[in-house]
Amino acid sequence: MVGEPTLIHTLQDISDTLDRATELFAKNGHVAGFDFLNSVKFVPDGSLPSDPLSPEYKNYMLDLYKTISGKPGYDPESFEKANISLSDALINPWPYQSKDAAVVGSYFMGVAHLTRVLGIFGCKTVFEYGTGWGYTATMMAQAGLAVTACDIEPVFLDRLTAISATQNIPLATFQGRFGDIPDGKRFDAFVFYECFHHCFDFIEVIPKLKAALNPGGKILLGGEPMLAKDDPAWSLRTDGHALWAIRSHGWMELGFREDFLIDVFKSNGFTCTAHPCEASGASGFIYAFHLEG
């Protein structure tokens, strides 16, 4: 995005913005639509509670989500679904939907960089949340890692099962939400690629993951939309792209300030290392949280 965003203040402004984006998607394609959305930011009313770990702060964000989405509440079982058929998922997957070589290239460089980082760390068993289209899971599995791919959307898991069967890729699937883990299983790493920002209950989820890590285990977050230093500690994002996702799909779209995210993991016994991939930009920026002890 070039320059400062155009600030909008009302629900009607949001509706007008999304209508314009829809026109651009139809007439000019993916890049034009999202370039326009990235030039807009919604400024909500109200005073944000001071403690980002408090129930009051979380409730403020939930109320903001309800205002923007028009939903009565947030239910990931209902609102984080893709609502596509298996045939559509197989023949028209993201990022190829974009028809933009730069978008496709950046995405797969990010996936490859994440796989490389896992290899450097020596991880062997990996549980991936939000596997989505399955490219991260299949690349990790073909690289020799023992992968369990988790998603809340069964169509994504069916797609992954079909592809892995056709290509003889050994991996397991597990339907669940963030923090759900197969009984008795432990892993060298938990991976979130472009999906941790959907995890509204992150404060409760991190300890669950810690309890299921092998000694020296890792939690990797890749491709996260981070907030600026003067932004709130964590927040529902209100850039145009996030507004589109929240209003159009009901998705949770969070952002985290880097210092806050590191402190939350530190309070749970993790240290942090950062692993950028310049060529892929934000898609290839990996935060690795290492379990101490």
Side-chain angles (χ1 to χ4, degrees):
M1 180 173 63
V2 178
E4 293 297 317
T6 299
L7 302 182
I8 60 176
H9 301 272
T10 69
L11 292 179
Q12 186 59 53
D13 290 339
I14 293 176
S15 295
D16 292 344
T17 296
L18 299 184
D19 286 346
R20 176 58 178 153
T22 299
E23 292 175 5
L24 289 169
F25 285 139
K27 294 179 181 178
N28 303 100
H30 167 91
V31 174
F34 283 116
D35 279 350
F36 168 70
L37 287 172
N38 288 334
S39 72
V40 176
K41 184 173 183 178
F42 174 62
V43 181
D45 293 328
S47 178
L48 183 63
S50 59
D51 181 0
L53 299 178
S54 68
E56 292 79 14
Y57 192 104
K58 187 175 183 180
N59 287 336
Y60 175 95
M61 293 304 169
L62 181 59
D63 288 342
L64 180 57
Y65 166 86
K66 291 190 288 188
T67 296
I68 295 173
S69 68
K71 308 291 186 185
Y74 175 62
D75 175 19
E77 299 284 350
S78 300
F79 304 141
E80 295 289 349
K81 296 292 184 69
N83 296 318
I84 58 173
S85 67
L86 177 58
S87 60
D88 284 343
L90 286 167
I91 65 175
N92 190 31
W94 181 262
Y96 297 113
Q97 292 174 4
S98 72
K99 306 302 180 187
D100 185 275
V103 170
V104 173
S106 293
Y107 179 88
F108 282 108
M109 280 192 289
V111 171
H113 181 55
L114 175 66
T115 303
R116 178 178 180 272
V117 170
L118 286 166
I120 291 171
F121 289 155
C123 298
K124 302 297 183 185
T125 57
V126 177
F127 189 97
E128 184 195 15
Y129 284 107
T131 193
W133 303 101
Y135 294 115
T136 312
T138 54
M139 184 178 289
M140 292 188 298
Q142 287 177 298
L145 305 181
V147 176
T148 301
C150 175
D151 207 285
I152 202 168
E153 171 56 78
V155 169
F156 282 144
L157 299 180
D158 291 343
R159 179 183 190 276
L160 188 53
T161 297
I163 290 172
S164 60
T166 300
Q167 301 181 22
N168 196 29
I169 303 172
L171 54 78
T173 60
F174 180 81
Q175 185 178 357
R177 51 200 293 174
F178 297 126
D180 288 348
I181 302 166
D183 290 343
K185 295 288 187 179
R186 302 180 73 87
F187 300 90
D188 294 336
F190 287 101
V191 166
F192 297 77
Y193 186 66
E194 296 189 340
C195 68
F196 191 74
H197 55 276
H198 295 290
C199 187
F200 190 56
D201 297 323
F202 65 94
I203 293 171
E204 295 80 15
V205 166
I206 293 171
K208 293 180 181 179
L209 306 186
K210 177 182 177 180
L213 279 173
N214 289 323
K218 324 288 182 186
I219 299 175
L220 271 63
L221 314 183
E224 284 301 311
M226 303 299 289
L227 300 180
K229 291 181 180 180
D230 57 350
D231 282 333
W234 69 275
S235 178
L236 196 73
R237 299 189 341 272
T238 58
D239 58 272
H241 194 156
L243 294 174
W244 170 81
I246 297 165
R247 177 68 72 84
S248 301
H249 299 285
W251 297 342
M252 182 60 64
E253 294 289 337
L254 302 179
F256 300 91
R257 210 173 60 214
E258 183 180 76
D259 62 322
F260 171 77
L261 190 64
I262 291 172
D263 284 347
V264 168
F265 275 92
K266 184 178 180 180
S267 70
N268 281 278
F270 292 86
T271 58
C272 178
T273 56
H275 304 268
C277 177
E278 280 190 30
S280 60
S283 293
F285 199 102
I286 310 298
Y287 289 96
F289 296 96
H290 310 261
L291 184 60
E292 295 180 309

